[in-house]
Amino acid sequence: MRAAHETHGRLRVLHVLGELRASGAETMLKGSLPVMAAAGVEVSVLSTGNDVGEFGSVLEDLGVQVHHLPFRARPLFLLQLVKLARKHDVVHLHTERASFWLGASMRAASVPVIRTVHNTFLFTGKLKMVRGAQRRALRRLGVTFVAIGRDVADNERDRFGVSTVLVPNWAESRYFDNRERSPDGRHPLIVSVGNCGSLKNHDSLIRALASLHAKGLPFRYRHLGSQADAVLDEGALAQELGCADAVDFVGVADPLQHLQEATAFVMPSKCEGLGIAALEALAAGVPTLLTDVPGLREFSEVPGIWWSSPTTDGLATAIEAMLAASDVEREGRAAAGADHVKALFSPEASMARLVELYRASVPRQALR
């Protein structure tokens, strides 16, 4: 494998996403920019959401050209997409929505396409058959499929019959480099990070915390993330359950400072691709509790993690046990985990692998 810092000609890569938010693919893209620039990869981004998304301005401030082409199930959209794609050497397709039509149209125009699958999609019935047929057709058209973790790779193979290249998710280097901890032991702070979609399972977490609050367990819970995909009003639920005075909904914010202040990080998801928020917390040396579900089991080799089922009772029991542990035990387990995370999920190795895939997908003589 070539090191990611080696430069062999300029390569223009267009990343195609939905609405740009402070979520996994976007934060990894942001973190990779210095390495990609050093490797001669010029990054542009296309938002296909109805709105560009709040993260678009973050990328633009870092010098990334951000395009906006709202998805429409019409030929004109595909023609405009292909016109933009042809101005680049490689397209990196991240969105699940309409991925077949986007990928097929660009391959019909002979544009190299890398397609990253970002979640463990547990489709069943007709949807499983359709998505499987579409994925296999894209493979025959020459699209390279990438999985962000072993659970995703296994699911793509077993459910859809598609082989993938494994390029594990990564956290920005600042999480590995800033392990200073300042938790307030008198008032334990539980932090979670992520959007409020149904798979994030915040309903069960808030109900678990409400039961602990009713028992008189002292804590504060702080949630960071967009509520744009919320399936319920989580603030109203906390109010209804009588624990609103112990809960803070911060919204979209940089997680690092909040993680450094946290007594514990909890990720209660029902399913993940490879949880970047969990990876960030582990890298930063935060005591971590994860649910035993696809996409979080990726961290089973990391020592020191507390594990739970994704149920209200399971979360309540695990959180109570975690907070009952001594500060020395919690911090010791977290430090042991942090020492293993970078070796298992090396950002440098993953970025180098992506650069290798980009260059392998384009004839050398086509590079500028």
Side-chain angles (χ1 to χ4, degrees):
M1 181 187 300
R2 297 183 189 277
H5 63 271
E6 293 180 7
T7 302
H8 297 278
R10 185 168 65 91
L11 190 67
R12 297 177 299 182
V13 177
L14 176 68
H15 291 263
V16 179
L17 301 106
E19 184 175 328
L20 302 177
R21 300 175 180 174
S23 58
E26 289 89 340
T27 56
M28 285 198 306
L29 177 59
K30 172 179 173 284
S32 73
L33 291 175
V35 173
M36 292 296 163
V41 176
E42 180 183 310
V43 171
S44 300
V45 171
L46 170 64
S47 165
T48 60
N50 289 330
D51 298 314
V52 174
E54 76 278 354
F55 208 75
S57 60
V58 174
L59 294 173
E60 287 180 327
D61 289 345
L62 294 171
V64 176
Q65 185 174 13
V66 175
H67 306 272
H68 184 214
L69 182 60
F71 173 77
R72 299 290 183 269
R74 299 170 185 167
L76 178 59
F77 169 83
L78 295 177
L79 290 172
Q80 292 172 321
L81 172 68
V82 167
K83 182 178 179 180
L84 176 62
R86 280 177 163 165
K87 297 178 181 178
H88 299 79
D89 300 298
V90 182
V91 169
H92 192 153
L93 180 59
H94 298 271
T95 177
E96 175 70 17
R97 181 180 68 164
S99 59
F100 171 72
W101 303 105
L102 274 60
S105 63
M106 290 184 287
R107 287 302 300 137
S110 299
V111 178
V113 177
I114 307 291
R115 159 79 163 105
T116 290
V117 182
H118 284 277
N119 212 329
T120 310
F121 293 106
L122 303 177
F123 301 139
T124 59
K126 182 178 178 181
L127 182 57
K128 170 188 171 182
M129 293 175 58
V130 170
R131 293 297 174 89
Q134 290 177 338
R135 280 160 158 73
R136 293 190 295 274
L138 287 178
R139 284 279 298 174
R140 289 193 292 272
L141 289 172
V143 172
T144 299
F145 276 76
V146 171
I148 62 171
R150 290 171 299 182
D151 286 346
V152 172
D154 291 347
N155 188 64
E156 290 294 308
R157 181 195 64 227
D158 298 340
R159 190 173 298 267
F160 304 116
V162 173
S163 60
T164 57
V165 177
L166 181 62
V167 181
N169 275 356
W170 63 83
E172 294 181 60
S173 59
R174 63 197 180 101
Y175 289 93
F176 295 99
D177 299 336
N178 291 276
R179 294 188 187 174
E180 295 183 6
R181 305 273 296 121
S182 56
D184 184 346
R186 298 169 301 169
H187 303 285
L189 173 62
I190 299 167
V191 170
S192 66
V193 180
N195 67 57
C196 296
S198 61
L199 291 179
K200 298 301 182 181
N201 199 30
H202 295 154
D203 179 6
S204 295
L205 176 58
I206 293 171
R207 292 182 185 280
L209 293 174
S211 71
L212 298 177
H213 186 263
K215 291 172 65 173
L217 186 70
F219 67 86
R220 291 208 63 81
Y221 167 56
R222 186 182 300 169
H223 175 261
L224 283 69
S226 170
Q227 296 199 34
D229 296 323
V231 294
L232 57 82
D233 186 332
E234 297 179 5
L237 178 63
Q239 189 73 42
E240 175 190 337
L241 296 174
C243 63
D245 59 330
V247 174
D248 299 308
F249 294 102
V250 177
V252 177
D254 188 326
L256 184 55
Q257 179 182 342
H258 299 277
L259 290 173
Q260 290 171 330
E261 296 172 356
T263 307
F265 171 85
V266 176
M267 197 162 196
S269 303
K270 296 178 182 178
C271 182
E272 288 284 339
L274 191 159
I276 294 179
L279 180 54
E280 291 170 346
L282 290 165
V286 183
T288 295
L289 188 156
L290 304 177
T291 46
D292 185 12
V293 298
L296 294 181
R297 293 185 189 126
E298 296 279 345
F299 301 108
S300 60
E301 296 178 39
V302 178
I305 296 173
W306 274 264
W307 292 94
S308 167
S309 70
T311 63
T312 294
D313 289 345
L315 287 163
T317 300
I319 292 169
E320 186 171 17
M322 189 179 193
L323 295 184
S326 68
D327 293 344
V328 172
E329 180 185 353
R330 276 197 305 270
E331 296 297 326
R333 288 175 63 159
D339 289 339
H340 283 73
V341 165
K342 191 168 186 178
L344 293 173
F345 302 97
S346 165
E348 293 82 8
S350 289
M351 293 180 203
R353 184 64 174 133
L354 270 184
V355 172
E356 182 182 66
L357 288 175
Y358 292 154
R359 294 197 175 278
S361 67
V362 180
R364 180 177 296 275
Q365 64 270 23
L367 296 181
R368 297 168 174 83

